[in-house]
Amino acid sequence: MTTIEAPRTPSRPARKGVNWEKWGWIYMRASGVLLIVLIFGHLFVNLVMGEGVKQIDFAFIGGKYATPFWQIWDLLMLWLAMIHGGNGMRTLVNDYSYNKVVNRILKGAILAAVVVLVVLGTLVIFTFEPCPAGAPADLLPSFCPVK
């Protein structure tokens, strides 16, 4: 007599520790909802309020980044979007890359790209200075006070 295992019975014992796939799945859902709010807020402020796309120039960005609110807003949008996208790409690599070496190389490249872009974007957000001290007056934007 042959016995058939019950459906959805794991073929191997469950591993102990943190279930990273479950937490990645939860992160994708939570970050997706938050990103919808952040992105539509970003688009509303930049494109609907004021003069629309005509208002977006160096001075507009300088004015936005002069307040911590917009720095944090854009930082959240950057971090959530990059990690969300990186996690999505990692999932695709896991689904379609069967060679272990290629799998590791691709996931390493994704990780490196995400880390580099997050670090550079964070630096831009927090070090952006439209009117740097000591800069020649002819190189400064017109809205900077002449010193």
Side-chain angles (χ1 to χ4, degrees):
M1 180 172 180
T2 315
T3 46
I4 299 173
E5 288 186 53
R8 296 196 174 109
T9 300
S11 58
R12 59 184 170 185
R15 291 187 291 177
K16 303 283 188 227
V18 178
N19 184 347
W20 290 109
E21 288 299 320
K22 177 183 87 169
W23 287 107
W25 185 88
I26 291 170
Y27 172 81
M28 293 298 274
R29 274 57 189 173
S31 66
V33 170
L34 230 90
L35 278 167
I36 288 173
V37 172
L38 291 170
I39 290 168
F40 279 108
H42 174 84
L43 291 173
F44 181 77
V45 167
N46 289 339
L47 301 177
V48 177
M49 288 179 62
E51 300 173 29
V53 77
K54 292 186 298 183
Q55 73 184 350
I56 300 174
D57 58 7
F58 189 79
F60 179 78
I61 302 301
K64 274 183 73 177
Y65 282 170
T67 62
F69 175 80
W70 289 112
Q71 286 179 329
I72 299 299
W73 186 285
D74 282 359
L75 184 74
L76 274 172
M77 199 165 49
L78 168 73
W79 278 65
L80 289 172
M82 289 306 303
I83 296 169
H84 185 97
N87 191 33
M89 291 302 295
R90 180 195 61 81
T91 302
L92 287 173
V93 167
N94 281 342
D95 286 348
Y96 294 108
S97 174
Y98 301 110
N99 184 316
K100 284 187 178 189
V101 174
V102 173
N103 188 297
R104 283 184 181 252
I105 290 170
L106 290 173
K107 287 197 285 190
I110 292 166
L111 178 63
V114 168
V115 168
V116 166
L117 290 173
V118 164
V119 168
L120 290 177
T122 302
L123 283 172
V124 167
I125 288 171
F126 287 114
T127 62
F128 183 76
E129 179 57 57
C131 303
D138 60 323
L139 296 178
L140 291 173
S142 60
F143 59 84
C144 291
V146 179
K147 296 177 185 175

